[in-house]
Amino acid sequence: MNNKEIGKIGENIAAQYLEKRGYQIIERNFQCKIGEIDIIAKNKDEIVFVEVKSRKVLSYGKPADAVNSIKKKHIYRAAQYYLLIHNQLDTYTRIDVIEVYLNEEKYRLNHIKQAIMDKTQEPNLNKNINYIQEEWL
């Protein structure tokens, strides 16, 4: 299985996870010149932009480690562009990261809420208050 296939499986798992928790998926794989957003969802009165990172092995580090400062800026700017073209600049928003660990037929998912605050801040990937961990399913 190549990285693209692993990423697609992870995105599907993340979308199902969000839907089970009452999120409405608005769009998947939103692309613009600035960047891409894996999942755009609505949760109550908030638009949530979700970056999904998936791994089968941890030799390259945790999935969220791939959300470096450059990636963070691209996600933030793509989210701002999405809000602009959809005339939703005044909407409450947040940017989350979902890590998906794949192992044979099972997976483990970590949902890091508000992982990226704005383009000037480093990802908030170690704040336990916004961290939800799923068991192997």
Side-chain angles (χ1 to χ4, degrees):
M1 190 177 319
N2 66 37
N3 288 342
K4 191 171 186 172
E5 292 169 330
I6 291 169
K8 184 56 75 182
I9 290 168
E11 287 177 18
N12 289 337
I13 290 169
Q16 290 172 3
Y17 162 86
L18 292 169
E19 287 176 328
K20 283 182 185 177
R21 279 149 185 81
Y23 290 70
Q24 175 191 354
I25 305 298
I26 298 170
E27 191 164 342
R28 291 184 60 180
N29 299 306
F30 171 76
Q31 295 182 3
C32 62
K33 288 182 180 181
I34 301 165
E36 178 188 0
I37 299 174
D38 296 326
I39 300 171
I40 302 171
K42 187 164 179 118
N43 182 29
K44 300 177 185 166
D45 62 344
E46 196 169 43
I47 293 180
V48 183
F49 299 95
V50 182
E51 176 68 12
V52 180
K53 291 295 181 188
S54 306
R55 295 277 190 276
K56 281 191 84 165
V57 295
L58 296 177
S59 57
Y60 297 108
K62 295 187 319 184
D65 292 343
V67 184
N68 59 26
S69 60
I70 294 168
K71 181 72 173 172
K72 175 190 65 164
K73 287 176 186 174
H74 287 286
I75 295 166
Y76 180 82
R77 290 181 179 147
Q80 289 295 339
Y81 180 73
Y82 177 89
L83 294 170
L84 176 68
I85 64 172
H86 289 89
N87 198 26
Q88 295 183 336
L89 289 171
D90 293 333
T91 305
Y92 290 108
T93 62
R94 72 172 197 258
I95 302 173
D96 296 356
V97 172
I98 293 181
E99 298 180 307
V100 179
Y101 297 87
L102 301 167
N103 183 2
E104 301 300 324
E105 298 294 320
K106 298 179 181 181
Y107 67 87
R108 185 169 56 99
L109 182 146
N110 294 325
H111 183 183
I112 306 163
K113 293 184 177 180
Q114 224 167 354
I116 301 170
M117 302 297 286
D118 69 39
K119 67 180 179 183
T120 63
Q121 295 177 325
E122 286 301 312
N124 184 25
L125 300 176
N126 295 316
K127 294 278 185 175
N128 289 332
I129 194 164
N130 294 321
Y131 192 75
I132 298 170
Q133 182 172 336
E134 291 286 305
E135 296 300 316
W136 287 100
L137 303 171

